[in-house]
Amino acid sequence: MKQSVSTLSVKRILFMGLVLTLAMGACKSKKKAVQPTPPPAPVEQVVEQAPPPPPARSAEEIAAEKLENSFNAVANAGSLNAADQSIQQTLAMFSNQETPVLIVIHEENGIKDYDEPTTIKRYLEYLKDTKKNLNYISDIRLDANGKVSELELRRK
């Protein structure tokens, strides 16, 4: 069979194109292999900083937390003797047994309405009798000796 010259030249062109393509691909890969690899990026050392210390709590915050715990201890006491002991410990935190306790029953536009004022002694007896602490401390005032001189409560 006789092939035409044009068929041979087309085959030859395709073969040459294939060889040329392979040669170009091989050159690129050699070029990459010859180039030195870039140095690794510098590793940043992470220095752990100690977390900042929590802000110091004020004497009022500490006293309020202790009083909340004391009120719960009186309300949840298992016996009358335990409640009386908790009451005596709580009274020691106050300037006297007649320290006023104000209970906010309503507030609107910054104007507060209070329940009938009571004393800390009567409030603690109330907690002992009802066995429920339905209020939380909203404001506390301390005297120069660090004892509670006034207490404001709100409903939970």
Side-chain angles (χ1 to χ4, degrees):
M1 249 173 89
K2 196 171 183 189
Q3 292 182 346
S4 68
V5 175
S6 65
T7 313
L8 279 177
S9 62
V10 171
K11 286 183 181 178
R12 207 177 249 178
I13 291 174
L14 287 176
F15 180 73
M16 293 290 255
L18 178 66
V19 170
L20 184 63
T21 305
L22 290 175
M24 287 175 63
C27 288
K28 285 184 181 178
S29 64
K30 284 182 184 177
K31 197 177 217 181
K32 287 181 184 177
V34 171
Q35 287 180 347
T37 58
V43 178
E44 293 183 26
Q45 294 181 356
V46 178
V47 177
E48 286 191 34
Q49 295 178 350
R57 297 187 318 164
S58 68
E60 286 85 6
E61 291 173 330
I62 294 168
E65 184 178 331
K66 287 180 181 179
L67 278 177
E68 286 286 346
N69 293 337
S70 295
F71 291 165
N72 289 329
V74 171
N76 299 324
S79 68
L80 292 178
N81 288 336
D84 288 336
Q85 185 178 9
S86 294
I87 287 173
Q88 291 306 314
Q89 290 173 350
T90 305
L91 287 174
M93 298 173 68
F94 288 83
S95 56
N96 62 48
Q97 292 184 5
E98 300 302 313
T99 300
V101 176
L102 304 171
I103 301 173
V104 178
I105 55 175
H106 181 71
E107 181 177 2
E108 188 172 327
N109 298 329
I111 300 171
K112 298 177 183 176
D113 290 328
Y114 296 99
D115 197 359
E116 180 181 344
T118 187
T119 64
I120 188 58
K121 176 78 171 160
R122 285 192 279 167
Y123 183 72
L124 291 171
E125 292 293 334
Y126 168 80
L127 289 177
K128 179 175 90 171
D129 294 341
T130 61
K131 297 193 179 295
K132 292 180 184 175
N133 183 13
L134 301 176
N135 300 311
Y136 68 93
I137 298 170
S138 65
D139 190 24
I140 188 170
R141 305 242 167 98
L142 302 178
D143 63 10
N145 298 326
K147 297 202 177 228
V148 179
S149 61
E150 187 178 311
L151 190 61
E152 183 178 278
L153 305 174
R154 290 182 188 261
R155 289 276 180 198
K156 288 183 180 178

